Amino acid sequence: MATLSETFEKLTQHLKRIDRLSSISELLAWDEQVNLPSGSAGLRAEQASLMAELTHKESSSLALGQWIDRLKAAEAELNPAQQAILRDARRNYREATCLPSAFVRRRSKAHSEGFQAWLRAKEAGDFQAFLPSLKTNIELAREQASLLDASDPYSYWLDQFDPGLNQATVEQVFAPLRADLKVLLNSIQTAPVEAPSFSLKGFPVDRQEAFLREVVTAFGFDFKRGRLDRSVHPFCGGHPLDLRMTTRFDPDNPLDSLSSAAHECGHALYEQGLPKEHLGTALGQAVGMAVHESQSRLWENQVARSRAFWQAWEMDYRAHFPTQLDGLNSEQLYFQINRVAVTPIRVDADEVTYNLHIMLRYELEKQLIGGALDPADLPEAWNALSIEILGYEPKNDAEGCLQDVHWSGGAFGYFPSYCLGNVICAQLWETIQAAIPRLDHQIASKNYGPLRHWLRTQVHSLGRQYLTQDFVRKVTGTALSHEPLMRYLRERYGSLYRVG
Ligand code: ZN
């Protein structure tokens, strides 16, 4: 009989094999959004479905189950890192074996077709064209939760993206946050300060790209093991050894490509910072989507929207766009970057209203998955809640319920991760500021080394050793809380709008 360490070695080798298979699916998904001719979508759906089937076969193999059982029986003899690997492997194995391959195939095909249907529906502003796919995806999401014996399907989906979280834990953070944000937004909207009415227009795309490449290189993105391309919806995918991030460009909205690139770069730095020797196992993976989002938000907001960052980069920015920025002084530029205004589109939202966009989606998907909301009534429900939460009524479904890609690919329970990411980011930021007293000076001189080093050693190197809430407690010394985020927002935006 094999020794315990031999069995553990077999387990990790097999997990790495699954990781390589998943990385091929990731590459196909990246290609679908960056390169794929529209007429080839059918073939891609079949390819993705076949890859999902192969991955599922490896993830549910009998041998894998036997190694897991053997290690579980001797768990006390494993060290904490090995226990974390085993815990994650067991969880994934259970997922894989409780889902029949026919279901996995059906789900993969539905998600791929859903994405194409959503693209067409959004372009035509026609919700009815997306409704059948939405219904199918909701049914599949419920079916999956029930195959896994989940008592509450929506909590099951929250836990899929952020291990250990459920409706109650999310509600505990969201309820007070929503109330506090409304107060802050109201005071900003009634502040006596007027944002400058300068519009940023005619920023050549190639110069935008040159500038943001300089920025992400300075942040530490490793171009030897990654690429930056263009897609409709910016994302960061691929594998830690082959990172694929994307952005998009609009000559009349230059700050969008910049903040998107800083955001995706934060995701990429996390992935590139995971311990290479553990890739494929829990120790070489992100904690979950909320912690992932905390990393992207940190570089996008805490860093790239700060006065210190712009102190360092303003001259370069003006050198790229001398005529476009003519007539706008430093303070006005900073105001442009940080202005707070309700916009219908989530991805265009500022830091204050962004979280309210998430509250809107959180309420609706909770009802869709729970069965309280008929998918056919989504546009009406969306618009009503948008008025209540954001004070804005969408003019059509393209700027309402069709704006996001997520539900088209069956990603329910994912939206809360964005807001929880902001929450965790603010908690980390307070910890970092205490640990690096000269952080502001360093950012003001484009010196991101100490910040990156802190994140590498305190966050990235941990992999998925801890579940989301334990991770927050371990790294920040405090429980998951909305208060640091409110302190941060009140400080940055209160001082900008001279309120509070
Ligand atoms: Zn993100």
Side-chain angles (χ1 to χ4, degrees):
M1 192 169 165
T3 66
L4 203 59
S5 67
E6 281 165 357
T7 307
F8 197 84
E9 178 63 20
K10 280 185 180 151
L11 172 72
T12 51
Q13 286 311 317
H14 194 82
L15 294 176
K16 286 179 185 191
R17 186 176 157 79
I18 296 169
D19 171 69
R20 297 305 185 263
L21 278 170
S22 308
S23 74
I24 299 171
S25 298
E26 276 285 314
L27 204 56
L28 288 174
W30 166 83
D31 182 74
E32 179 173 355
Q33 297 207 36
V34 173
N35 296 314
L36 194 71
S38 61
S40 310
L43 172 64
R44 182 51 45 89
E46 285 176 30
Q47 291 168 324
S49 168
L50 178 59
M51 281 309 301
E53 192 182 335
L54 291 175
T55 309
H56 180 249
K57 205 170 156 190
E58 292 293 327
S59 310
S60 57
S61 83
L62 206 60
L64 177 59
Q66 286 164 349
W67 296 325
I68 289 172
D69 286 346
R70 159 115 168 81
L71 292 164
K72 180 66 186 165
E75 197 178 8
E77 295 168 52
L78 301 176
N79 64 40
Q82 291 174 318
Q83 287 173 356
I85 291 174
L86 178 62
R87 178 186 61 201
D88 202 59
R90 280 188 80 215
R91 175 189 159 104
N92 293 337
Y93 188 72
R94 183 162 180 270
E95 287 280 326
T97 48
C98 290
L99 300 178
S101 2
F103 173 83
V104 175
R105 219 167 23 239
R106 196 150 51 87
R107 185 185 60 181
S108 171
K109 192 157 176 285
H111 291 172
S112 198
E113 286 169 359
F115 175 66
Q116 297 302 329
W118 168 76
L119 279 181
R120 289 190 299 270
K122 188 183 176 186
E123 188 165 337
D126 177 13
F127 176 73
Q128 292 305 321
F130 178 53
L131 182 58
S133 288
L134 179 63
K135 279 185 179 161
T136 304
N137 285 353
I138 291 168
E139 280 157 20
L140 285 166
R142 285 209 207 107
E143 194 178 336
Q144 180 165 335
S146 109
L147 285 165
L148 267 301
D149 290 327
S151 54
D152 168 17
Y154 189 60
S155 286
Y156 165 82
W157 280 103
L158 290 170
D159 176 82
Q160 284 294 292
F161 298 107
D162 295 303
L165 293 189
N166 57 36
Q167 271 200 62
T169 43
V170 171
E171 194 66 35
Q172 244 171 40
V173 176
F174 279 14
L177 181 59
R178 182 171 158 182
D180 286 359
L181 282 170
K182 286 211 89 159
V183 173
L184 177 62
L185 179 59
N186 186 53
S187 67
I188 288 172
Q189 284 173 328
T190 53
V193 176
E194 280 286 309
S197 61
F198 192 93
S199 52
L200 301 174
K201 279 197 163 29
F203 284 61
V205 163
D206 55 338
R207 268 184 272 159
Q208 285 191 46
E209 180 162 1
F211 180 76
L212 66 82
R213 278 180 184 273
E214 281 173 42
V215 172
V216 299
T217 304
F219 283 176
F221 180 76
D222 183 357
F223 276 100
K224 290 199 295 298
R225 291 189 290 130
R227 291 180 57 90
L228 172 62
D229 293 275
R230 299 177 189 185
S231 65
V232 179
H233 189 91
F235 67 94
C236 176
H239 185 272
L241 301 176
D242 181 10
L243 245 292
R244 304 299 175 105
M245 59 174 184
T246 67
T247 190
R248 58 177 175 193
F249 295 99
D250 176 353
D252 300 332
N253 191 6
L255 297 172
D256 173 63
S257 64
L258 180 60
S259 60
S260 292
H263 178 101
E264 301 308 337
C265 183
H267 283 306
L269 289 175
Y270 188 9
E271 291 285 319
Q272 291 185 329
L274 291 167
K276 286 188 195 58
E277 66 277 22
H278 293 303
L279 292 178
T281 76
L283 297 189
Q285 275 165 31
V287 178
M289 288 320 301
V291 176
H292 226 307
E293 197 63 13
S294 78
Q295 298 305 292
S296 57
R297 291 296 173 175
L298 189 140
W299 291 96
E300 176 192 1
N301 294 332
Q302 268 77 357
V303 176
R305 287 182 201 275
S306 70
R307 285 192 186 277
F309 174 89
W310 283 97
Q311 233 171 293
W313 288 95
E314 187 180 340
M315 289 257 287
D316 303 270
Y317 200 55
R318 287 186 186 277
H320 278 285
F321 309 106
T323 50
Q324 292 81 356
L325 292 168
D326 193 26
L328 191 73
N329 68 31
S330 300
E331 189 56 26
Q332 289 166 331
L333 175 62
Y334 179 72
F335 214 122
Q336 284 282 350
I337 292 156
N338 287 292
R339 71 188 308 157
V340 175
V342 172
T343 139
I345 306 298
R346 173 184 62 89
V347 296
D348 294 338
D350 57 79
E351 278 192 272
V352 177
T353 57
Y354 186 91
N355 299 295
L356 293 170
H357 281 272
I358 298 305
M359 304 293 165
L360 167 68
R361 287 151 181 78
Y362 162 71
E363 290 298 335
L364 292 172
E365 64 176 17
K366 204 166 65 177
Q367 293 174 26
L368 284 171
I369 297 298
L373 175 62
D374 184 336
D377 299 332
L378 177 64
E380 210 178 311
W382 180 291
N383 295 354
L385 201 57
S386 176
I387 295 170
E388 188 186 324
I389 293 182
L390 287 161
Y392 181 85
E393 182 177 9
K395 290 184 187 63
N396 51 57
D397 293 337
E399 68 163 41
C401 65
L402 284 176
Q403 67 179 275
D404 297 302
V405 67
H406 305 64
W407 295 338
S408 80
F412 299 96
Y414 189 111
F415 282 118
S417 303
Y418 291 127
C419 181
L420 291 167
N422 291 332
V423 165
I424 295 170
C425 176
Q427 291 188 265
L428 289 173
W429 195 244
E430 287 191 350
T431 310
I432 294 167
Q433 284 178 312
I436 313 176
R438 289 185 52 79
L439 182 62
D440 238 30
H441 292 278
Q442 291 159 356
I443 293 175
S445 54
K446 300 186 185 174
N447 175 12
Y448 308 104
L451 173 59
R452 204 170 49 240
H453 178 75
W454 191 94
L455 292 169
R456 283 257 140 111
T457 53
Q458 306 300 310
V459 176
H460 306 170
S461 65
L462 295 178
R464 188 178 286 176
Q465 206 166 328
Y466 305 95
L467 302 184
T468 309
Q469 285 166 292
D470 294 337
F471 164 87
V472 171
R473 215 171 278 119
K474 165 87 184 158
V475 179
T476 70
T478 52
L480 189 64
S481 159
H482 76 292
E483 280 166 9
L485 176 60
M486 285 311 303
R487 277 198 288 274
Y488 160 78
L489 292 174
R490 284 192 198 107
E491 188 186 310
R492 182 172 281 185
Y493 296 94
S495 71
L496 185 65
Y497 281 87
R498 291 187 234 124
V499 293

